[in-house]
Amino acid sequence: TLSIPTGFAEPTKGIELTNIRPSVVRPKEADKAIWVPLEISDVVSAGGATLTKQKDGSILASGKNSSNDTYTVNITSKLRGITAVQLEVLCDPSLPGNGPGRAINGNFSLTEFRVVAAPLEKKTETAPILLHNLQADFSQGSHGGWPVTAVNDGNPKTGWSVDPEEGIPHVAIFETNPPIGFDGGTNLTFTIEQGDNEHSI
């Protein structure tokens, strides 16, 4: 048999630690504080999907799922100096594989994402908003790559997808140039174009 000692041959020595910097953990509340949910006033699917506003302000797609569908989202805001837009694609039990997309495996393909802004009192005087520094928590690398940076390249055959990370929510952030916001309020129109094979959000 093997005898395993139950104590050390000498007492454990203390070690003095100096110049140790405390770890700084950024609370989630601080990250959320920089984002203000925008109140959606109107949303339409060009392909005939049913887009229903939920209690939390999100929009749930159901019904018809056309290829190359386009969602047009209208928002009115009193905010000034908007420097970025955050798009959250969320899960729901009604979606294939819990979503966040409507493809058979829960994936989606966001091919183009555009924003135009106009003064609230002059909604016809729209101006496109330049989006730059596009980032996402995850982008699909397979099948040639589907990075979030492809959503403003003008090519409907490229876009942002998330396979194999379906079944969980994802986030994309688009910085705006110049900052958005007119003195008397702003009307924002978001155009969300989506890909083939029912790969809608």
Side-chain angles (χ1 to χ4, degrees):
T1 61
L2 178 64
S3 175
I4 301 176
T6 58
F8 293 103
E10 61 181 51
T12 303
K13 295 180 179 179
I15 301 175
E16 183 178 357
L17 301 178
T18 60
N19 298 323
I20 300 299
R21 301 172 65 182
S23 61
V24 177
V25 178
R26 182 177 177 85
K28 292 182 179 179
E29 291 75 14
D31 290 329
K32 291 180 180 179
I34 67 172
W35 300 107
V36 178
L38 297 175
E39 185 71 22
I40 296 174
S41 54
D42 181 59
V43 56
V44 176
S45 160
T50 300
L51 302 177
T52 306
K53 190 173 182 178
Q54 305 299 293
K55 291 181 179 179
D56 62 1
S58 64
I59 301 296
L60 178 62
S62 61
K64 189 175 181 180
N65 187 15
S66 302
S67 289
N68 305 112
D69 198 359
T70 297
Y71 299 162
T72 302
V73 182
N74 289 304
I75 291 171
T76 298
S77 176
K78 296 290 187 180
L79 292 176
R80 295 287 310 280
I82 300 173
T83 58
V85 174
Q86 177 174 264
L87 173 67
E88 295 180 277
V89 288
L90 306 174
C91 296
D92 190 86
S94 66
L95 301 173
N98 203 39
R102 302 187 70 195
I104 192 170
N105 62 346
N107 200 6
F108 62 87
S109 175
L110 175 59
T111 58
E112 293 292 317
F113 184 87
R114 295 189 299 274
V115 187
V116 297
L120 193 57
E121 65 276 10
K122 297 179 180 180
K123 292 184 179 180
T124 58
E125 297 183 5
T126 60
I129 302 299
L130 176 64
L131 303 177
H132 66 108
N133 195 21
L134 281 61
Q135 301 180 55
D137 65 323
F138 179 81
S139 289
Q140 180 174 327
S142 60
H143 301 287
W146 291 81
V148 72
T149 51
V151 306
N152 70 346
D153 63 1
N155 184 354
K157 297 299 182 182
T158 63
W160 177 43
S161 296
V162 295
D163 185 67
E165 294 292 324
E166 296 91 353
I168 57 176
H170 292 283
V171 175
I173 296 175
F174 315 111
E175 292 187 19
T176 61
N177 185 24
I180 306 171
F182 295 97
D183 288 335
T186 305
N187 189 73
L188 297 168
T189 300
F190 296 85
T191 302
I192 301 172
E193 296 182 5
Q194 295 149 108
D196 296 329
N197 302 316
E198 294 86 37
H199 273 58
S200 297
I201 296 172

